Amino acid sequence: QAQLVESGGGLVQAGGSLRLSCAAATRFSSYTMGWFRQAPGKEREFVSVINWIGDMTYYADSVKGRFTISRDNAKTTLYLQMDMLKPEDTAVYYCAASPTWRPTKMTEYHYWGQGAQVTVSS
């Protein structure tokens, strides 16, 4: 059974919005969680991270001011609100969980979802 399951991806026009959700197993309510993305032919890259309490967040410069990460620990669900989408945001988006306090590298995320496709048309 999958422990992290993304949903909410799809096709949207440039300037539009999408909200991704990541349903997580109950134990991940105390984990640091993040979003990553991977465009075709490119390496997976960091998008955003949130601590287990949900009061500290960090964003890649490429999405800062446009994306918002949040979590609902009562539902053990992670969210990524994506506004003002650009064609360069097109990628498969992955949620991930880390047992570390402040993960700084991808190997510190031990659990990954299968990904959700986001396509932004110009």
Side-chain angles (χ1 to χ4, degrees):
Q1 186 177 11
Q3 298 184 82
L4 299 170
V5 181
E6 300 96 337
S7 63
L11 175 65
V12 66
Q13 295 181 82
S17 298
L18 283 174
R19 190 193 195 197
L20 299 180
S21 298
C22 174
T26 302
R27 70 192 186 103
F28 295 120
S29 63
S30 61
Y31 279 57
T32 298
M33 298 191 71
W35 288 98
F36 295 78
R37 66 186 183 186
Q38 187 168 20
K42 301 294 183 66
E43 289 290 312
R44 191 169 300 185
E45 66 176 354
F46 168 79
V47 174
S48 186
V49 64
I50 188 168
N51 71 329
W52 79 278
I53 298 175
D55 62 346
M56 290 186 288
T57 60
Y58 185 78
Y59 299 88
D61 287 342
S62 59
V63 306
K64 193 174 299 181
R66 300 187 298 119
F67 290 11
T68 304
I69 190 171
S70 63
R71 66 193 299 169
D72 183 345
N73 287 341
K75 297 183 180 294
T76 58
T77 302
L78 178 72
Y79 302 98
L80 184 67
Q81 177 67 43
M82 303 182 292
D83 298 318
M84 298 178 286
L85 283 161
K86 304 175 180 179
E88 51 262 46
D89 295 319
T90 295
V92 176
Y93 284 71
Y94 300 88
C95 67
S98 173
T100 65
W101 177 252
R102 293 184 64 181
T104 58
K105 50 189 177 181
M106 217 168 292
T107 54
E108 292 176 316
Y109 290 85
H110 294 182
Y111 305 94
W112 294 81
Q114 288 296 113
Q117 178 68 51
V118 172
T119 303
V120 184
S121 62
S122 59

